[in-house]
Amino acid sequence: MRNALLLGAASLALAFPAAAFAAGPDDTNPAAPNAPATPAPQDQAAPVKQGDEIVITGLLQQSEKDVLSGTSIVSGEELTRDLRPSIGETLARQPGVSATSFGPSASRPILRGFQGERIRVLTDGIGSIDVSNTSVDHAVIIDPLLAERVEIVRGPSALLYGSSAIGGVVNVIDSRIPRSIPENGYRVNAIGSYGSAANERSIGAAGDVGLGKIVLHADGSYLKSDDLDIGGYVLSPRARAAALAAAAGPTTPDDPDFAASAALKGTLPNTAARTWTAGVGASLITDTGSLGISYSHYDSLYGVPIRYATESGQEQEAPRLSVVQNRVDLRGEVDTGGGFLDKIRVRAGYANYRHYELEEDGEIGTAFYNKGIESRLELIQAQRGGWSGASGVQYFNRDFNVVGDEAFLPKNRTSQLGLFTLQQFDLGPIRAEGGLRYESSNLEATPLSGDTRFFAGKRHFDAFSGSAGLSYALSDGVRIGFNVSRTERAPSAEELFARGGHAGTQSWELGNPDFALEKSWGIEGTLHVHQDRFSLDASAYYNWFSNYISENQVDPSVCATAAAPSGREVDLPCFQFQQADARYYGFEADASFRLAQLGAYAINVDALGDYVRATIVDQSPAPRIPPARVLGGIEAQSDRLTARAEVEHVFEQDRIAPFETPTDAYTLVNASIGFKPIAGNDRISLLLSANNIFDVDARRHSSFLKDFAPLAGRDLRATVRVGF
């Protein structure tokens, strides 16, 4: 079935004669048909954010200021400045965004307090096809070094990419499948970076060659880092106190040295990493369409921070993960030449993924295997007056298996078929939008014959979601909007079938195969202000759920009862997936103001803030919710030089679930200077930055390991981009 759909998508694109394919405007920047390949050059310095960038994560391209929900675009010098080894850490300074922070190599984005199954991380519109949603110690298989830009779409429009995207979508856009013919017959871009906190050395390069209407592409990257330097002790004050108290009590020769654990400082052990990628692609590009295909390989070996024992009897491990993914992607687009449809687009990806969790002696403890395909067919309507729209079909299939000592899931398969439509109406100052999605999901658990550890069975779900929105232009450059959504999400295989110990999260996880659909209502208000000297983008939202799925710590006897038929021992805290009502609400805002123009320099100040409050009704606050945050910066910009200083303050989080501990507030001070040495050439640049200048001890409340793994200490970084 998977191969048939992939071949079908290719056949659809190939069914149109070669003369029908053409280079339209580059998808990543329609105003620039010959935009360079990855990595992208830095943008021209602008006085303030104008909101004119085109958002392509969606069926219909539109400017950022016209999107009805909270949207962020990260590109150019901002992307260079924030670039880190993981996509979560790269985006963590964006409004409404935090990160799981399971060490520097495994950090997935968190949007509006949602993570895991409620966030979709895409590469060029298709899922990353990995197992990062399964556990926070699993890395997202996307290399930020090769990103041209990243789009963050929150709210109901994200549902076009699946009912699991209620929190939002992160779409990382690269040039592995070329979108345009190089202006001079070729283009090459490269980036090199060094970070002092982990002795991080990285390099990435991408190049295209045009052979008539055929464009060939090649890219690669390499990153190597040592253990991460931190701004204080490895253990938080509470964990240190617990470890020292345990050290003062009775111990046995098998117990960890608690006092030694409490004394660790300056460096976070077991966080070194080595990652390399390689990819090739080719596109046929003509006047009315394009068809391209690519192959990529990802290979990484990284350690995750040690969860140090703080009481007698706990195990203390230093796991490393060896990750490999091989992937094939297809993208095609054809102009129909008129009529009801304007364009037909096809996008598909297939990946074979595996990772080994290695013991300290190098032996494989547990192996994760995942094969998946995702494909989309989109039919774009021709504009008729102020009416535009698009509809499509999406298919997803995943075969997932965990083998070894810590297998907490049976072999399982998930398949989803989605139908969707989005319709927009431009009535001058008033714009309206409506979307619908139907999704059919089938999940099946098939443990080995005689294996009594796991549940065996099938579940089927039919989910319906819809959204509607309206915006009104109060004046030129000022627009307010309101949208409402009703969503339904099918439980994941992990939420249904988990039954076993998971060392990565130090929990014995127990799913429930009888779960119902998770349902929610959501409302959101937006404000976009884009003037010559001032820019503001703000969103406020409220979501209320029924059958909300969360994982809560329960009495160990619950897991012991579930494990009894197989004779397994429950040697970790017992966490059970449960359904209940829940409420999420909050806001995010991002503003910029031009203070002055001093000769060639525009002096701008900017600020962002975000807050989310989440409660599981009649139980407790939802776990691992990021606290309130504010960030302010001042920047001097010219055509060739940009200097910036910023302060980020993250407030204390003491509104916690019963099994959590509070997290202290912290303040980070950062500075950077960017320079373009050749006048009129934006494709060669140097950026120097200093992050966490005062080397403070900072911990993210959203991290499972925040008591055992702080963020990076003082980090001096140098990044060079070259393009020609």
Side-chain angles (χ1 to χ4, degrees):
M1 182 67 175
R2 295 193 306 271
N3 293 335
L5 282 174
L6 186 58
L7 291 173
S11 299
L12 173 68
L14 291 169
F16 297 91
F21 295 101
D26 188 297
D27 287 347
T28 63
N29 185 0
N34 292 307
T38 327
Q42 297 170 6
D43 297 342
Q44 291 279 359
V48 294
K49 177 183 174 184
Q50 294 299 308
D52 293 328
E53 288 196 83
I54 300 299
V55 180
I56 71 169
T57 303
L59 301 185
L60 303 173
Q61 297 180 5
Q62 52 188 321
S63 65
E64 183 183 356
K65 63 185 178 184
D66 293 331
V67 178
L68 281 176
S69 56
T71 302
S72 301
I73 297 175
V74 187
S75 61
E77 188 168 318
E78 182 182 14
L79 179 58
T80 302
R81 183 176 63 240
D82 293 343
L83 195 65
R84 298 294 185 273
S86 68
I87 191 65
E89 296 302 317
T90 297
L91 301 178
R93 294 181 187 176
Q94 295 302 306
V97 182
S98 186
T100 55
S101 301
F102 208 92
S105 298
S107 189
R108 203 170 192 263
I110 297 173
L111 307 184
R112 295 181 170 177
F114 294 109
Q115 57 178 294
E117 292 297 332
R118 299 181 184 90
I119 295 295
R120 291 223 64 197
V121 181
L122 311 176
T123 174
D124 196 15
I126 292 291
S128 54
I129 313 180
D130 51 33
V131 297
S132 62
N133 65 311
T134 300
S135 178
V136 287
D137 61 328
H138 302 162
V140 179
I141 308 305
I142 292 177
D143 186 358
L145 274 173
L146 298 176
E148 279 188 345
R149 58 195 261 137
V150 183
E151 296 182 354
I152 306 166
V153 178
R154 312 166 188 87
S157 60
L159 294 172
L160 296 170
Y161 290 88
S163 61
S164 61
I166 185 173
V169 162
V170 173
N171 190 15
V172 182
I173 300 163
D174 59 29
S175 65
R176 190 158 275 160
I177 300 178
R179 294 179 174 86
S180 62
I181 297 174
E183 185 176 358
N184 300 316
Y186 67 91
R187 57 189 164 213
V188 177
N189 289 276
I191 180 172
S193 182
Y194 175 79
S196 65
N199 192 26
E200 174 193 324
R201 298 84 79 195
S202 64
I203 187 170
D208 291 345
V209 175
L211 304 174
K213 296 179 180 180
I214 302 292
V215 181
L216 304 180
H217 172 91
D219 63 58
S221 67
Y222 181 81
L223 179 146
K224 186 175 177 61
S225 61
D226 300 336
D227 287 343
L228 183 70
D229 288 346
I230 56 177
Y233 287 96
V234 170
L235 300 184
S236 69
R238 295 174 184 85
R240 289 184 65 227
L244 291 172
T251 61
T252 70
D254 296 329
D255 281 335
D257 187 340
F258 299 119
S261 298
L264 287 170
K265 65 183 302 185
T267 302
L268 189 60
N270 201 52
T271 51
R274 184 272 304 152
T275 301
W276 66 274
T277 71
V280 293
S283 289
L284 172 64
I285 302 174
T286 62
D287 292 333
T288 56
S290 63
L291 175 65
I293 191 169
S294 70
Y295 164 79
S296 60
H297 178 85
Y298 182 100
D299 192 302
S300 182
L301 176 65
Y302 67 90
V304 296
I306 300 169
R307 184 187 290 265
Y308 287 98
T310 55
E311 59 185 63
S312 180
Q314 286 184 335
E315 292 187 8
Q316 191 164 287
E317 300 179 351
R320 292 178 300 148
L321 276 71
S322 172
V323 181
V324 171
Q325 184 195 68
N326 290 289
R327 177 171 174 140
V328 178
D329 284 272
L330 172 80
R331 185 180 66 234
E333 179 177 312
V334 61
D335 294 338
T336 63
F340 181 73
L341 294 181
D342 180 53
K343 289 178 171 52
I344 299 175
R345 297 175 183 155
V346 63
R347 182 73 174 88
Y350 169 80
N352 189 344
Y353 169 99
R354 68 91 176 138
H355 85 245
Y356 300 141
E357 299 192 348
L358 306 177
E359 309 288 354
E360 292 188 60
D361 59 4
E363 294 294 320
I364 298 174
T366 308
F368 287 69
Y369 301 97
N370 186 66
K371 294 183 180 179
I373 183 172
E374 185 173 339
S375 56
R376 297 173 61 88
L377 172 66
E378 300 172 353
L379 307 176
I380 314 301
Q381 299 162 209
Q383 288 197 9
R384 297 179 180 274
W387 175 32
S388 60
S391 303
V393 59
Q394 177 180 357
Y395 177 77
F396 169 77
N397 184 280
R398 179 183 82 159
D399 286 322
F400 182 38
N401 194 20
V402 186
V403 179
D405 298 339
E406 296 174 4
F408 63 99
L409 277 173
K411 184 178 181 181
N412 61 85
R413 171 177 290 186
T414 301
S415 63
Q416 293 179 338
L417 180 67
L419 304 174
F420 52 84
T421 187
L422 176 70
Q423 302 296 316
Q424 293 181 345
F425 303 89
D426 189 344
L427 307 174
I430 298 176
R431 292 191 177 124
E433 179 179 290
L436 293 171
R437 181 181 182 90
Y438 163 72
E439 192 168 88
S440 174
S441 301
N442 291 283
L443 300 96
E444 180 179 8
T446 55
L448 297 174
S449 178
D451 189 344
T452 59
R453 295 178 299 170
F454 301 115
F455 171 85
K458 301 179 181 180
R459 291 297 311 274
H460 173 80
F461 300 92
D462 291 307
F464 296 86
S465 300
S467 65
L470 191 72
S471 70
Y472 180 74
L474 298 175
S475 64
D476 187 25
V478 181
R479 182 172 288 272
I480 60 172
F482 177 82
N483 60 64
V484 60
S485 62
R486 168 65 171 173
T487 64
E488 296 182 341
R489 180 180 75 88
S492 69
E494 291 79 1
E495 293 165 339
L496 293 172
F497 306 133
R499 184 171 293 190
H502 192 183
T505 57
Q506 282 292 289
S507 59
W508 208 97
E509 298 184 356
L510 181 60
N512 187 338
D514 297 323
F515 274 160
L517 285 170
E518 179 181 276
K519 302 178 181 181
S520 72
W521 284 95
I523 57 175
E524 179 180 8
T526 61
L527 173 63
H528 298 291
V529 180
H530 294 280
Q531 306 289 346
D532 180 53
R533 296 176 62 90
F534 178 71
S535 173
L536 169 68
D537 293 289
S539 300
Y541 55 89
Y542 190 102
N543 296 90
W544 56 102
F545 293 81
S546 59
N547 297 327
Y548 177 85
I549 300 173
S550 62
E551 195 175 14
N552 302 297
Q553 188 169 8
V554 297
D555 190 274
S557 62
V558 176
C559 289
T561 300
S566 63
R568 285 185 298 171
E569 180 183 356
V570 177
D571 53 359
L572 292 168
C574 179
F575 281 80
Q576 183 180 32
F577 287 100
Q578 299 174 340
Q579 287 192 308
D581 292 343
R583 303 288 184 267
Y584 275 71
Y585 63 85
F587 73 87
E588 65 230 3
D590 184 10
S592 178
F593 178 69
R594 186 174 64 201
L595 283 177
Q597 186 74 38
L598 303 178
Y601 290 90
I603 310 300
N604 298 332
V605 293
D606 58 74
L608 68 82
D610 49 46
Y611 171 77
V612 60
R613 184 181 179 95
T615 302
I616 301 174
V617 178
D618 297 330
Q619 293 187 27
S620 67
R624 288 177 287 278
I625 298 299
R629 172 184 61 162
V630 292
L631 185 152
I634 184 168
E635 199 165 297
Q637 298 177 339
S638 72
D639 289 341
R640 296 182 60 187
L641 186 68
T642 300
R644 175 178 176 82
E646 66 181 27
V647 178
E648 177 184 17
H649 180 75
V650 179
F651 291 86
E652 177 188 15
Q653 181 59 287
D654 57 5
R655 190 174 184 275
I656 57 175
F659 54 87
E660 293 186 285
T661 59
T663 304
D664 295 335
Y666 61 86
T667 300
L668 303 179
V669 178
N670 311 310
S672 65
I673 184 167
F675 178 59
K676 300 170 186 175
I678 302 176
N681 187 338
D682 296 328
R683 303 185 67 183
I684 299 177
S685 64
L686 170 66
L687 190 138
L688 304 174
S689 63
N691 303 282
N692 192 1
I693 292 174
F694 296 105
D695 205 26
V696 304
D697 179 14
R699 300 172 189 269
R700 286 207 178 101
H701 184 76
S702 52
S703 171
F704 275 78
L705 284 181
K706 55 99 173 181
D707 284 321
F708 306 90
L711 302 181
R714 184 182 298 110
D715 185 26
L716 306 179
R717 304 184 71 86
T719 304
V720 177
R721 283 190 183 269
V722 178
F724 54 89

